[in-house]
Amino acid sequence: MKGSRFLFPALFKALVLPPLVVYVLLHILPRLAFPTPTCLSLVPPLLFPLGPGLLGRVLRISAYLISFPAVFILRSTISARTSSWAAKKLGAHIIPRVERRWVLNVDILQDWARSGSDDEVGRMMIITSDPRVMKHVLVDDFDNFVKGEKFRERAWDFLGDGIFNSDGERWKFHRTFLRPFFHPTHITASNFIIPISRFLAALPPRGQAFDIQQSVGDLALRIAWEWIGGEDLATDELARLGEALREAQKVVGRRVKIGTVWPLFELGKDPLEEPMTALRRFLVPRISRACLARDKRRESGESPEFASEDLHLLDRLLEASEGGDAKLVEDQLINVLLASRDTTNSLLTFAVYCLALHPDVAERVREEVLDVAGPEGSITKETIRDCKFSRCFINEVLRLFPPVPLNIRRTLRPSLLPGPDGPLYMPGNTSIILATILMQRDSAVWGDDAQVFDPDRWADMGKEREGFMSWNYGPRMCLGQPLALTVAHTFLILLYRHLAQPSNNTHNDTADPDTDVTAPRPGPLRVHLAPDAQPEGTRMPDAWRTDRGDGRARGGRDRVWVVADVVLAIKGGLWVRLE
Ligand code: HEM
């Protein structure tokens, strides 16, 4: 049975252990302590409530029910005590604990019950937004902080043996293997001009509200496959591929949420079967065609170097894994598709949001890209390099809206984290959440204006600065950064070229006359938020508009409901109109 390696111990711990502990305490210990019936009769009945009759039964059931929170408290206390001893031995402090409303943090059980997970009960789970701790985890003690076996097992049927799903030597192999393919020499704006231009040409007419998050999601997938396979996908194929990826991701997300007992929820049917069949139906014929093309190249004596200008990631992977494993190539492709689609979607969505929210900044981006790149013509690496304000803009979008808002690692062995008053002891086999989004909005790290959108803060800063880890950090830093940045710059240039075209700014017969969107207006089109079109139930709650808010809308600065799932997104989509 899938997942049984973790399932059975977890079932034992969650369902059998708590009543067993209580049974031993109430039933066996008194017998050991008072071995003779005379002694036993001295034990007060409440300490030995297992006799026959209604009272005995009620007490037995109560003891069973109470056993779960009791063992939860016991485990928490034991783990806190053990950590505290180990920390003392090493001259370290213990990590400060969350103080909840109820004694012994029992109210955490409520959250646990809601999450449906068994993983966190009575276990230490650490969260940090301190850049020094993040650096320790991602760089200084890198080998000790892994994604972990449990994640690997839950994602195995989807991500297989890909880079996202591996640790240690296996990860090193993937990283070394893939890195050359992501080198900036293989990435130029020309790879992306056609899909982005088509996307812009298909935008709804002036004045009509539309959800750009949804359509940019399709664009991100189209771009990813264009780069991977060199093919412009037909719309229905794109939709099928997108749906399969979304569904597979949902299943893995659900498994992670449920925790170790996830196999019990999949006894009847494997929910990954359908999406994975669709994914393979898409990938396998393309891999076979690329294999045939490779063999033909070989027969004609064409060396891979000679043809390399025309090769895409898929061809390059096949060249490099010659005679190798087709399943491995398939896994790598799925991992790269997943790595690129949602993150690019998130970056482009929040870039458009920030342009709409800050017209003054948008004006500066518009002026720069049209000045540097001109109203038409090719976009070179130099063009992108010279769009300096746009780069500051993209960095600021990534700072406040990191596409991967949280990351998670697990220790193999205990580790000493840097703390304000000396090292902090972190036990082995413990998870730590790296809250990138909190760190990048923290005034202790970024100053009093940390919540303010200000691209100029990047003008005299290096690209790399402490407290900015949207691309991750250290050996496991994002491989797709050059690609994503090239896509983002190309998108901004083509967007403003598109909006500047007089033909996009003329009278539009199909627009709704009631909304007064048909009258031509002077000047270029601009992107505006369209809160009136936001679906009911997805508008940002009014309470968040004040500067006190609840901290989720950057002190009342945001106008959309930002949700941090696996990837940062906008609840209900980003509704905008061009006017
Ligand atoms: C705005 C866009 C992007 C952002 C913010 C981003 C961010 C990240 C982050 C935070 C990680 C670390 C994940 C982890 O530790 O679990 C990562 C890893 C990775 N990213 Fe990206 N990413 C972006 C786009 C892309 C694109 C377009 C590609 C590929 C075409 C890509 C390929 C990868 C790969 C292969 C890894 C795994 C690296 C490893 O484990 O060694 N990323 N990315």
Side-chain angles (χ1 to χ4, degrees):
M1 182 185 180
K2 275 184 191 173
S4 50
R5 195 151 57 93
F6 296 109
L7 175 67
F8 294 121
L11 282 180
F12 177 78
K13 269 194 277 179
L15 299 177
V16 182
L17 191 63
L20 191 68
V21 169
V22 172
Y23 181 79
V24 169
L25 286 176
L26 293 182
H27 196 98
I28 298 183
L29 284 188
R31 277 182 202 283
L32 291 177
F34 307 100
T36 65
T38 331
C39 288
L40 203 57
S41 66
L42 299 174
V43 181
L46 268 181
L47 268 185
F48 190 56
L50 302 170
L54 184 65
L55 181 66
R57 222 173 296 145
V58 168
L59 288 173
R60 258 200 305 270
I61 292 171
S62 310
Y64 176 78
L65 293 177
I66 289 168
S67 70
F68 294 97
V71 169
F72 162 71
I73 293 167
L74 196 70
R75 279 182 68 184
S76 311
T77 312
I78 292 173
S79 99
R81 289 273 175 276
T82 330
S83 289
S84 157
W85 286 325
K88 214 179 253 167
K89 248 177 45 197
L90 293 168
H93 303 278
I94 52 162
I95 294 173
R97 300 192 126 209
V98 174
E99 293 294 337
R100 297 292 291 253
R101 298 182 305 280
W102 297 2
V103 68
L104 293 170
N105 285 342
V106 175
D107 49 328
I108 288 179
L109 271 181
Q110 279 178 341
D111 298 346
W112 167 73
R114 269 189 221 124
S115 78
S117 163
D118 71 295
D119 270 5
E120 287 81 32
V121 187
R123 266 192 170 279
M124 192 190 284
M125 172 78 121
I126 298 162
I127 181 160
T128 184
S129 59
D130 180 337
R132 288 168 312 152
V133 175
M134 307 268 263
K135 182 171 164 286
H136 175 85
V137 170
L138 296 171
V139 184
D140 303 337
D141 199 9
F142 175 77
D143 289 334
N144 187 23
F145 284 86
V146 295
K147 294 208 167 182
E149 272 299 300
K150 286 190 176 179
F151 175 76
R152 183 172 166 80
E153 185 218 29
R154 281 156 215 181
W156 177 261
D157 299 331
F158 177 31
L159 299 176
D161 183 25
I163 186 164
F164 261 116
N165 207 19
S166 51
D167 284 314
E169 289 307 313
R170 197 63 193 153
W171 165 77
K172 274 188 200 148
F173 160 78
H174 287 306
R175 182 89 187 180
T176 316
F177 181 69
L178 278 177
R179 194 171 36 216
F181 308 124
F182 285 87
H183 193 270
T185 48
H186 297 314
I187 295 153
T188 58
S190 58
N191 296 128
F192 315 118
I193 286 181
I194 293 177
I196 297 176
S197 302
R198 284 221 193 114
F199 163 82
L200 292 169
L203 287 182
R206 183 172 59 83
Q208 186 175 313
F210 62 101
D211 172 13
I212 200 164
Q213 178 169 263
Q214 163 83 37
S215 46
V216 155
D218 291 344
L219 171 68
L221 189 55
R222 195 181 281 286
I223 285 175
W225 189 257
E226 175 74 42
W227 181 69
I228 292 172
E231 179 190 350
D232 185 15
L233 291 178
T235 311
D236 56 338
E237 206 139 25
L238 191 77
R240 276 199 295 274
L241 177 63
E243 184 49 36
L245 281 170
R246 239 186 325 273
E247 189 50 37
Q249 229 172 321
K250 219 161 75 189
V251 173
V252 174
R254 202 166 52 221
R255 285 179 179 179
V256 170
K257 223 169 173 184
I258 292 172
T260 317
V261 294
W262 67 263
L264 293 183
F265 292 77
E266 296 182 13
L267 285 176
K269 183 171 180 257
D270 178 1
L272 274 179
E273 194 180 318
E274 234 171 81
M276 291 314 291
T277 307
L279 270 178
R280 294 210 176 91
R281 210 172 281 148
F282 175 84
L283 288 173
V284 170
R286 285 170 171 82
I287 295 175
S288 308
R289 279 205 297 276
C291 279
L292 283 177
R294 179 195 61 189
D295 296 345
K296 263 198 191 146
R297 272 198 305 277
R298 300 253 165 94
E299 276 165 26
S300 66
E302 202 178 355
S303 78
E305 286 79 19
F306 176 74
S308 65
E309 281 300 299
D310 303 326
L311 295 184
H312 293 89
L313 178 72
L314 170 55
D315 308 301
R316 290 173 199 280
L317 285 175
L318 287 170
E319 289 290 353
S321 60
E322 188 198 350
D325 188 349
K327 169 78 172 71
L328 183 63
V329 172
E330 198 181 298
D331 288 347
Q332 304 279 30
L333 295 182
I334 293 177
N335 277 252
V336 173
L337 272 174
L338 182 74
S340 64
R341 187 194 61 157
D342 288 357
T343 48
T344 311
N345 184 5
S346 178
L347 170 59
L348 297 183
T349 299
F350 282 101
V352 172
Y353 169 62
C354 292
L355 291 173
L357 198 61
H358 303 286
D360 50 330
V361 172
E363 191 52 27
R364 288 173 68 189
V365 173
R366 189 186 73 82
E367 271 174 17
E368 180 185 79
V369 298
L370 292 181
D371 192 33
V372 175
E376 55 188 32
S378 60
I379 301 170
T380 61
K381 284 192 194 307
E382 288 67 39
T383 320
I384 290 177
R385 192 197 53 211
D386 291 344
C387 287
K388 293 200 168 24
F389 182 71
S390 304
R391 180 61 202 270
C392 295
F393 168 77
I394 293 168
N395 277 356
E396 189 65 347
V397 173
L398 286 169
R399 179 181 75 87
L400 286 172
F401 303 102
V404 183
L406 306 169
N407 209 335
I408 188 157
R409 292 289 188 269
R410 205 170 169 81
T411 41
L412 294 172
R413 303 172 295 280
S415 185
L416 292 181
L417 308 178
D421 307 310
L424 295 168
Y425 176 80
M426 174 164 176
N429 199 22
T430 304
S431 295
I432 182 164
I433 296 175
L434 308 175
T436 311
I437 189 164
L438 297 184
M439 174 180 70
Q440 294 183 174
R441 294 173 171 207
D442 186 350
S443 56
V445 182
W446 287 88
D448 288 343
D449 64 347
Q451 303 274 10
V452 177
F453 184 83
D454 176 16
D456 286 322
R457 75 173 76 238
W458 292 92
D460 43 355
M461 261 177 210
K463 288 183 287 180
E464 304 270 327
R465 66 147 283 174
E466 188 181 85
F468 180 67
M469 297 186 189
S470 289
W471 303 104
N472 212 18
Y473 196 61
R476 241 183 147 145
M477 192 163 169
C478 174
L479 274 174
Q481 184 183 3
L483 189 146
L485 284 174
T486 307
V487 168
H489 276 286
T490 311
F491 182 84
L492 289 177
I493 294 170
L494 294 178
L495 173 69
Y496 280 108
R497 280 181 177 173
H498 175 80
L499 297 183
Q501 274 172 27
S503 56
N504 292 326
N505 203 13
T506 53
H507 182 84
N508 162 34
D509 290 336
T510 57
D512 180 357
D514 294 340
T515 54
D516 187 29
V517 294
T518 55
R521 295 193 189 171
L525 285 175
R526 291 188 169 79
V527 186
H528 298 266
L529 293 177
D532 52 308
Q534 194 77 30
E536 210 46 58
T538 69
R539 296 202 184 112
M540 193 182 89
D542 284 341
W544 298 1
R545 286 176 183 268
T546 65
D547 58 356
R548 272 176 286 140
D550 78 341
R552 290 188 59 181
R554 292 188 298 127
R557 290 180 177 85
D558 276 325
R559 290 290 167 267
V560 290
W561 188 330
V562 177
V563 281
D565 205 348
V566 179
V567 173
L568 207 71
I570 295 172
K571 193 171 174 131
L574 175 62
W575 288 81
V576 293
R577 51 171 64 92
L578 307 177
E579 278 181 297

